[in-house]
Amino acid sequence: MVKKRVISQADMKIGVIGDEDTVTGMVLAGVGHVDGQGKKNFLVVDAKTHQRDIDDMFHELTRRKDISMIFITQSCAELIRQSVDGYSDSGQLVPAVLEIPSKEQPYDPRKDAVMQRVAFFLPSAMASLGIDVP
């Protein structure tokens, strides 16, 4: 009888989708992982990267059992907004998807699902940051 390996919190990883500078920084910080089959938990997005490749990687990361959190730059999230919003609306909690700023584009909290929840529950907090809440 073969024992089934249970993934513990120590085995959980962070997925990263973003521009070269963001992903390189995360990989240098120890986030990057390549398994024995060559599957990576990160994707470097540049001008040559197709939207379909970003979408495929996002769906792969959300289906993996060893990923607990996904960092995606807001500019990449905009390219696959329908998939990101669909995942947020699904109610699935793990992995958590967090949109982070990138160097190329200023951060817009109105497009971030986490900040939209903050605006829903604490509109005064958003107003104090100078963000108009509809």
Side-chain angles (χ1 to χ4, degrees), residues 26-77:
M26 295 290 185
V27 169
L28 288 172
V31 170
H33 182 263
V34 180
D35 66 5
Q37 299 170 342
K39 287 179 23 180
K40 299 176 184 177
N41 67 330
F42 57 90
L43 175 69
V44 176
V45 177
D46 57 15
K48 298 175 187 174
T49 307
H50 295 285
Q51 181 178 350
R52 182 75 184 154
D53 296 335
I54 301 169
D55 199 39
D56 289 345
M57 183 62 159
F58 179 77
H59 287 297
E60 178 187 329
L61 290 173
T62 57
R63 286 190 300 265
R64 285 178 52 177
K65 299 295 183 201
D66 63 336
I67 300 290
S68 61
M69 187 179 299
I70 299 171
F71 290 152
I72 183 168
T73 58
Q74 197 170 47
S75 56
C76 292

Side-chain angles (χ1 to χ4, degrees), residues 20 24 39 52 69 100 115 120 134:
E20 185 176 11
T24 301
K39 287 179 23 180
R52 182 75 184 154
M69 187 179 299
I100 59 175
M115 293 305 284
F120 180 76

Side-chain angles (χ1 to χ4, degrees), residues 1-13 33 65-66:
M1 178 175 215
V2 178
K3 285 188 178 181
K4 201 173 199 183
R5 180 170 157 75
V6 176
I7 296 177
S8 69
Q9 288 181 342
D11 295 331
M12 299 300 273
K13 297 169 185 59
H33 182 263
K65 299 295 183 201
D66 63 336

